[in-house]
Structures are given as C-alpha cells and as structure tokens.
Amino acid sequence: MSSYTIPKIAALEAEQKRNLPTFRVGDQVAVHYRIREGEKERVQLFQGVVIRRARGGVGATFTVRKVSFGGVGVERIFPEHSPRIEKLEVVSRGIVRRARLYYLRDLEGKAARLRQQRGGGSSAAAEEQSEESSAS
C-alpha cells in the first residue's frame, strides 16, 4: 500500500463525521432515530441513560439503556456518526465515576437512579429562562 491512501481515508472520515452535542457516560439522552417501515420512514424517540461509549473515529458507538413498561430493560447501540440520527438531546447530566455502567443492569427501581448534576439542568430550560428575561 502506498502512503498517499492514508490522507484520502482521513478525508473520507472527516466528511462522514457529525457534530452531536457533547455527552458523557451517565447522561440521560433522547435520541431521535429515523426508522424505516416498509416504504414509510418515521422518527422514533429512544430516551435513556448512556451506559457505554466506544470511541473509534467514524465507527464510534454509544449504548443507551432505558427501562420499558413492566420493568424490562432495553439497550440499544447507536453509531455516533450515523446519518439516521435525526437529533440527540441531553436531557440531564449524571455524576458517575465509571466509564462503563453495566452494573445498572442488575439494579431495579430507585436503586438504578444516578446522581444528577446540580444547577446545570438541561440546556433547553436555560434557553427558555434567558428568552423570558430578555422579553420582559
């Protein structure tokens, strides 16, 4: 292989990367994901806690876990730079001391809650407050 292929690969990867909001393991996120059913396409919301991030350039992924109706835990792995991700919102920021939160799989109810960051809240609430203060 010649050395001139590496810049081409880097250029292709840079072209495919997306700018998502910064989020970490422990954050509660809402992923708006485009799914295809037959010939129709719709946006489905998947909201839960980020329990894992695997960094790998364009192949980076993150795993989101939510507890569905009936107490059933559902995990979904999303490619970070997928064009199918319509939008990613950080609902709340969690305080954790681990890079992988696999222990949440064994916890139920209130025990499965994570500590939340104080004061910061969600960016949407901060934007609403700033708009209200500027309007009056």
Side-chain angles (χ1 to χ4, degrees):
M1 228 192 229
S2 58
S3 63
Y4 65 87
T5 58
I6 294 172
K8 288 181 181 179
I9 292 171
L12 279 172
E13 285 183 356
E15 185 182 300
Q16 292 176 352
K17 283 193 175 182
R18 299 199 44 196
N19 289 333
L20 293 176
T22 55
F23 64 97
R24 297 172 41 184
V25 171
D27 291 353
Q28 178 112 16
V29 295
V31 182
H32 298 261
Y33 199 72
R34 238 182 293 129
I35 60 168
R36 187 178 192 115
E37 294 174 336
E39 294 181 19
K40 294 182 182 177
E41 208 170 83
R42 66 183 179 90
V43 176
Q44 186 177 48
L45 178 70
F46 193 90
Q47 184 170 334
V49 178
V50 178
I51 63 167
R52 170 179 185 252
R53 280 190 79 174
R55 293 182 171 86
V58 177
T61 61
F62 61 99
T63 305
V64 180
R65 178 181 173 81
K66 75 173 185 177
V67 178
S68 188
F69 182 74
V72 178
V74 179
E75 290 181 11
R76 190 153 178 202
I77 301 170
F78 294 98
E80 199 167 305
H81 301 289
S82 170
R84 292 207 165 273
I85 294 179
E86 188 89 6
K87 181 169 55 168
L88 186 129
E89 299 175 78
V90 179
V91 177
S92 63
R93 302 223 177 253
I95 300 172
V96 293
R97 297 170 70 173
R98 304 251 179 279
R100 305 281 192 258
L101 304 182
Y102 297 143
Y103 66 90
L104 289 178
R105 294 172 177 164
D106 300 327
L107 301 178
E108 294 178 7
K110 288 185 179 181
R113 293 183 303 178
L114 298 173
R115 289 190 307 154
Q116 301 298 313
Q117 235 178 27
R118 297 182 132 220
S122 69
S123 60
E127 287 177 18
E128 288 178 22
Q129 288 178 347
S130 64
E131 288 176 12
E132 289 175 7
S133 63
S134 64
S136 44

